[in-house]
Amino acid sequence: MGEFELIARHFTRPALPDSAVVLGVGDDGALLQPTPGHQLVISTDMLVEGRHFFAGTDPEALGHKALAVNLSDLAAMGARPLGFTLALALPAADDAWLSAFARGLFALADAHACPLVGGDTTRGPLNLCVTVFGEVRPGQVLRRDAARAGDEIWLSGRTGEARLALALRRGEPWASGDVATVADRMDRPTPRLALGQALAATPGVHAALDVSDGLLGDLGHILKASGLGAEVDLASVPIAPALRALAPGHQRDCLLAGGDDYELLFTADATARDAVLAAGRIAGVAVTRIGRLVDTPGLRVVDEQGQAVPVRTQGFDHFGNAS
Ligand code: ADP
Ligand code: MG
């Protein structure tokens, strides 16, 4: 199978009705028509074998995840997806692998009416790079630098299960439980697109990001961009059943520094509480208040007595010491 046959067989599909795509796969570039008056949101994320996933990972899950982590970035901006491109380096043109990969990819793409509009295909060590295009109404976008002192900090869903799945697969000695109960949280993250769009349209919701490198590390990005500090109430951070059996220190590390969660962390004025809860209900995902933003820089995690709890606040950094 040659390069063009591979693209034709696995990555060329009929146009979706009512999509922003004027011209998709097959020309030198794609043509997209955003809704008049809207702004484009563009984001790229790459998955590298041996770095972001184990060699031999189920290709269907990889197809899902390669797109999911990108759609999660659109969700964190409050954007509606318009389409995506896919740059692939493949060690071989393995038809069965490609079919499964495409199945996972297009199942998620179709669920969000987000068509594949182009890409690049080359031989090389397995590497999956997706670029997503989305749109927002000007003024209805969730930026990291838009948080305000006094905002409450909210989290969608739960953190830590993907980190536990990783630990169980690696055989880290502290991890216990059945990997089957948490594997999907690592392999098939759910991009919170409906929630992001609902929040962007909610007055009083100010800043957001998606938690990919650990809750506290990512919260730190909002604090830095907005020039603020934060207090997180440890007892209010939701704990998944699979994490309950862990020793407190490891449980805390999973919750606060785990990574690969793809939940939304956002800040909102206290007057927006009911509207935020309503947005969560509409989107079908729990949203939990876990703390507040303060004028004084710094990040404090406190227990129910208001006492500071020692925690690792550093998120994952590919070129940092922890990697
Ligand atoms: P060019 O030589 O003009 O850069 P290519 O030969 O790389 O084009 O690709 C031919 C067409 O196939 C282009 O429209 C490109 O966007 C598309 N394409 C290539 N690889 C992929 C892929 N993995 N998924 C979707 N479209 C792809
Ligand atoms: Mg070209």
Side-chain angles (χ1 to χ4, degrees), residues 2-28:
E3 177 188 333
F4 297 104
E5 194 191 339
L6 186 160
I7 296 164
R9 185 167 337 166
H10 294 288
F11 299 113
T12 309
R13 301 170 86 227
L16 291 179
D18 303 323
S19 87
V21 182
V22 180
L23 185 61
V25 170
D27 212 312
D28 294 303

Side-chain angles (χ1 to χ4, degrees), residues 96-156:
W97 191 96
L98 282 162
S99 295
F101 175 82
R103 212 179 314 123
L105 182 80
F106 288 121
L108 184 64
D110 292 349
H112 295 288
C114 183
L116 177 63
V117 300
D120 199 21
T121 308
T122 173
R123 194 183 285 273
L126 186 58
N127 188 333
L128 317 165
C129 182
V130 168
T131 300
V132 282
F133 304 86
E135 67 177 20
V136 293
R137 283 178 207 278
Q140 289 193 7
V141 58
L142 302 170
R143 298 168 50 135
R144 297 177 178 194
D145 62 4
R148 302 189 195 166
D151 275 1
E152 296 176 323
I153 304 168
W154 293 79
L155 176 70
S156 73

Side-chain angles (χ1 to χ4, degrees), residues 177-233:
D178 178 0
V179 71
T181 63
V182 283
D184 272 1
R185 293 287 287 158
M186 178 176 173
D187 299 336
R188 296 171 187 276
T190 305
R192 304 297 188 191
L193 282 159
L195 179 64
Q197 288 165 64
L199 292 173
T202 301
V205 178
H206 295 142
L209 51 61
D210 65 325
V211 180
S212 54
D213 298 330
L215 195 164
L216 293 186
D218 283 332
L219 173 57
H221 297 314
I222 289 182
L223 301 183
K224 187 160 183 234
S226 299
L228 297 169
E231 220 169 58
V232 171
D233 302 313

Side-chain angles (χ1 to χ4, degrees), residues 52-127:
H52 301 97
F53 59 91
F54 294 112
T57 297
D58 171 16
E60 189 172 351
L62 277 182
H64 174 97
K65 190 162 178 175
L67 181 59
V69 301
N70 280 276
L71 290 176
S72 178
D73 283 317
L74 289 187
M77 298 297 288
R80 181 176 83 90
L82 299 176
F84 70 104
T85 58
L86 170 67
L88 278 178
L90 301 167
D94 176 339
D95 209 45
W97 191 96
L98 282 162
S99 295
F101 175 82
R103 212 179 314 123
L105 182 80
F106 288 121
L108 184 64
D110 292 349
H112 295 288
C114 183
L116 177 63
V117 300
D120 199 21
T121 308
T122 173
R123 194 183 285 273
L126 186 58
N127 188 333

